[in-house]
Amino acid sequence: MQLKYIDVHSHLQFSAFDANREEILERMRAASVGTIVVGTQKTTSKSSIELAHRTYPHTEGSPLYVDKMWATVGLHPIHTSKSFHDEAELGGGEAAKAFTSRGEIFDYDTYLEMARDPRVVAIGECGLDYYEQVDAEDRETRLGADWRERQIDAFLGQIKVANEVRKPLMLHIRQVKGYGGGKAYDDVLELLKKYSKTQAHVHSFCGDPETAKKFIDFGCTLSFTGVITFRPEYAEAVKAVPLDRIMADTDSPYLSPVPYRGKQNEPAYVVEIIKKIAEIKELDFETARTAILENSFRAFKLEHR
């Protein structure tokens, strides 16, 4: 399969896709879309590797090896604290809820071993998440008073893994509700400058143009999701990212772009995000598509894996 597009951040291993994963992979094949399957904790990191190694038959009977999937391994910052469960990630049932409610403590040796797999192209998603899901007082009750320190410890551990295996970081950064830069972005950048020896990629960038420039100046790449198709305030940030630093990601099964709002997201929908990037940057579609594809291969060294 000759790729035309790469969705640099999806969660195809999540239980949300158990019922229709084969159909989604067929649509990816038909659209010449590859993807990086991103881990969020031990279980989903392991399954991201398994998915990247698997062989899938063509639905019409002829053999098809889907070798255009890669994996990341990492601990998402929201999984470092208690009382979080996402059915799209692990599915329903008391066993899954019990697992996530404890909060995972980052295990350096386990993640380092997984990170050495040849299909693993980045470490993460990792970073800091300051999103206001609850008010400040209730947040400490639900997540624990040390929620921020737990996120930082896990992030630093993953920076250490990335430095060891010499693979880039897949960053998740989420500020408080609302548009703008903010302290989560500043805190991540400060930690990168102090500890990171590898490249870093900011997935699902939702900051302002000034924040984008800070990460660009540090040498990072950035990707945008379907959010840009229905939130016009992010257009200026898209314009601020040079063409050789920009990528697209679906974050599927979340954040479906227009015209698929309200439906389960999937990697093939990355085409709509690239169309919007081209429109915002006033480029013809083929110029944007080619540049974004080349950026994805270069940033994650996909041509060698």
Side-chain angles (χ1 to χ4, degrees):
M1 181 173 71
Q2 184 66 40
L3 288 182
K4 289 185 176 181
Y5 313 94
I6 296 176
D7 169 12
V8 298
H9 191 113
S10 73
H11 299 289
L12 272 180
Q13 81 279 41
F14 280 9
S15 66
F17 294 112
D18 286 351
N20 62 342
R21 189 174 288 110
E22 300 294 332
E23 292 85 354
I24 288 169
L25 287 165
E26 177 61 19
R27 286 193 286 273
M28 289 171 60
R29 184 202 65 80
S32 300
V33 174
T35 192
I36 299 175
V37 184
V38 175
T40 56
Q41 50 189 303
K42 285 180 186 177
T43 54
T44 59
S45 293
K46 183 174 183 290
S47 56
S48 73
I49 296 173
E50 292 171 350
L51 186 58
H53 278 283
R54 283 183 62 183
T55 301
Y56 288 90
H58 191 286
T59 55
E60 296 178 356
S62 60
L64 170 71
Y65 180 62
V66 180
D67 63 345
K68 303 306 182 185
M69 291 187 292
W70 300 269
T72 79
V73 296
L75 177 57
H76 194 295
I78 62 174
H79 284 309
T80 61
S81 295
K82 62 185 179 181
S83 300
F84 181 86
H85 174 66
D86 184 348
E87 289 195 4
E89 199 162 350
L90 291 180
E94 292 303 314
K97 292 180 181 179
F99 176 82
T100 56
S101 67
R102 295 192 302 268
E104 183 181 320
I105 297 174
F106 183 74
D107 183 337
Y108 176 81
D109 291 335
T110 297
Y111 279 96
L112 179 61
E113 181 179 0
M114 289 192 291
R116 296 189 189 282
D117 188 283
R119 298 301 289 179
V120 171
V121 297
I123 309 306
E125 58 187 295
C126 58
L128 299 176
D129 192 315
Y130 295 171
Y131 190 69
E132 290 180 334
Q133 301 177 60
V134 291
D135 63 49
E137 182 178 351
D138 189 38
R139 179 169 52 200
E140 290 198 0
T141 301
R142 288 184 56 190
L143 305 183
D146 63 342
W147 66 270
R148 184 173 177 275
E149 287 74 18
R150 290 168 66 93
Q151 288 192 15
I152 291 173
D153 287 346
F155 184 31
L156 293 179
Q158 289 169 94
I159 291 175
K160 184 178 178 183
V161 170
N163 289 344
E164 175 66 24
V165 298
R166 303 179 70 84
K167 294 178 182 180
L169 291 158
M170 176 72 76
L171 298 177
H172 168 97
I173 310 170
R174 189 158 58 162
Q175 187 49 43
V176 296
K177 289 181 180 179
Y179 170 70
K183 191 164 175 54
Y185 285 101
D186 292 339
D187 288 354
V188 165
L189 191 55
E190 181 181 346
L191 292 169
L192 290 176
K193 289 179 177 179
K194 190 171 183 179
Y195 297 105
S196 179
K197 299 176 183 177
T198 67
Q199 294 295 111
H201 175 77
V202 185
H203 118 86
S204 188
F205 183 77
C206 290
D208 55 31
E210 291 73 24
T211 302
K213 187 176 186 304
K214 291 178 183 178
F215 281 88
I216 292 298
D217 288 347
F218 186 64
C220 297
T221 52
L222 289 76
S223 60
F224 293 88
T225 64
V227 171
I228 65 171
T229 67
F230 55 87
R231 294 283 297 274
E233 63 266 38
Y234 291 113
E236 293 306 314
V238 174
K239 293 177 183 178
V241 180
L243 186 58
D244 65 348
R245 300 286 192 91
I246 197 168
M247 297 178 222
D249 80 79
T250 63
D251 202 18
S252 52
Y254 315 110
L255 305 179
S256 297
V258 174
Y260 302 105
R261 293 285 290 154
K263 298 180 180 180
Q264 182 188 60
N265 202 3
E266 60 183 75
Y269 296 167
V270 75
V271 178
E272 301 301 327
I273 301 168
I274 296 172
K275 287 180 182 176
K276 191 64 178 182
I277 290 173
E279 176 188 323
I280 291 171
K281 296 183 82 66
E282 299 181 343
L283 299 168
D284 67 86
F285 176 74
E286 190 61 19
T287 297
R289 183 196 69 78
T290 302
I292 289 171
L293 182 67
E294 291 175 352
N295 295 344
S296 303
F297 270 99
R298 182 174 61 253
F300 297 102
K301 298 181 173 62
L302 303 183
E303 65 270 28
H304 301 306
R305 300 183 187 280

